[in-house]
């Protein structure tokens, strides 16, 4: 997570690979370009929930999974037209907590209203709801359009 100077506050996009998070990333790019701000895309990998402690293996770890989600999200959102200077950050932990941390010093945090899990009928997911209440900067929450 960046600690840019006041004159270079960044736009942060939180992505989890869902279609709404890709829309959020595209919107964040538009805002960053319009405002002349750097763009940072953040993905947070979570430990698997199980009755035994999560164990990283040679082929899987939450950080490796987060890096893959991040790579795929950037590719899916931008194709070959990746914004110059795009900062990519893959973290492991509680998504809401880590994105709140990422919001420190940011101009704006942009996320989708629903992630990959949960109940599709809810207006806000638990992460976007928490971010709206606790982020250190304004939060733009992208909702599904009627055409989807």
């Amino acid at each position: 997570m960046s600690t840019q100077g006041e004159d270079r506050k960044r736009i942060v996009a939180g992505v989890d690979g869902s279609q709404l998070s890709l829309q959020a990333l595209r919107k964040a790019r538009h805002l960053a370009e319009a405002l002349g701000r750097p763009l940072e895309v953040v993905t947070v990998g979570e430990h698997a929930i199980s009755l035994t402690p999560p164990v990283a293996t040679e082929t899987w770890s939450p950080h490796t999974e987060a890096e893959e989600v991040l790579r795929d999200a950037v590719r899916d959102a931008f194709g070959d037209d990746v914004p110059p200077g795009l900062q990519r950050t893959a973290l492991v932990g509680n998504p809401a907590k880590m994105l709140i941390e990422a919001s420190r010093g940011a101009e704006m945090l942009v996320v989708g209203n629903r992630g990959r899990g949960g109940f599709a009928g809810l207006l806000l997911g638990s992460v976007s709801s928490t971010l709206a209440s606790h982020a250190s900067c304004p939060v733009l929450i992208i909702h599904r359009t009627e055409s989807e």
Side-chain angles (χ1 to χ4, degrees):
M1 292 170 281
S2 298
T3 54
Q4 302 285 337
E6 187 68 26
D7 61 332
R8 294 295 294 163
K9 282 188 170 184
R10 70 209 186 288
I11 303 294
V12 177
V15 298
D16 65 2
S18 67
Q19 287 303 309
L20 278 172
S21 75
L22 297 179
Q23 288 180 23
L25 180 53
R26 290 183 196 105
K27 177 60 80 173
R29 177 189 191 165
H30 176 75
L31 290 169
E33 289 174 349
L35 297 171
R37 303 290 190 214
L39 177 59
E40 178 181 13
V41 57
V42 177
T43 301
V44 182
E46 293 182 87
H47 291 287
I49 298 173
S50 68
L51 297 177
T52 60
V55 178
T57 66
E58 286 184 30
T59 58
W60 182 88
S61 76
H63 192 265
T64 300
E65 184 174 351
E67 288 176 331
E68 290 172 2
V69 168
L70 184 60
R71 180 194 65 233
D72 293 347
V74 169
R75 182 196 64 226
D76 293 347
F78 304 131
D80 292 331
D81 187 27
V82 176
L86 177 69
Q87 182 177 346
R88 304 166 198 224
T89 305
L91 304 168
V92 175
N94 175 285
K97 186 175 183 178
M98 301 306 284
L99 287 169
I100 288 167
E101 180 67 27
S103 75
R104 290 193 179 136
E107 183 81 22
M108 180 173 285
L109 174 62
V110 185
V111 295
N113 73 315
R114 300 288 317 145
R116 293 185 289 179
F119 300 97
L122 296 176
L123 179 61
L124 290 178
S126 61
V127 172
S128 59
S129 179
T130 301
L131 294 173
S133 298
H134 299 287
S136 298
C137 65
V139 179
L140 176 60
I141 300 173
I142 304 299
H143 291 263
R144 188 174 312 278
T145 63
E146 289 187 25
S147 64
E148 295 175 56

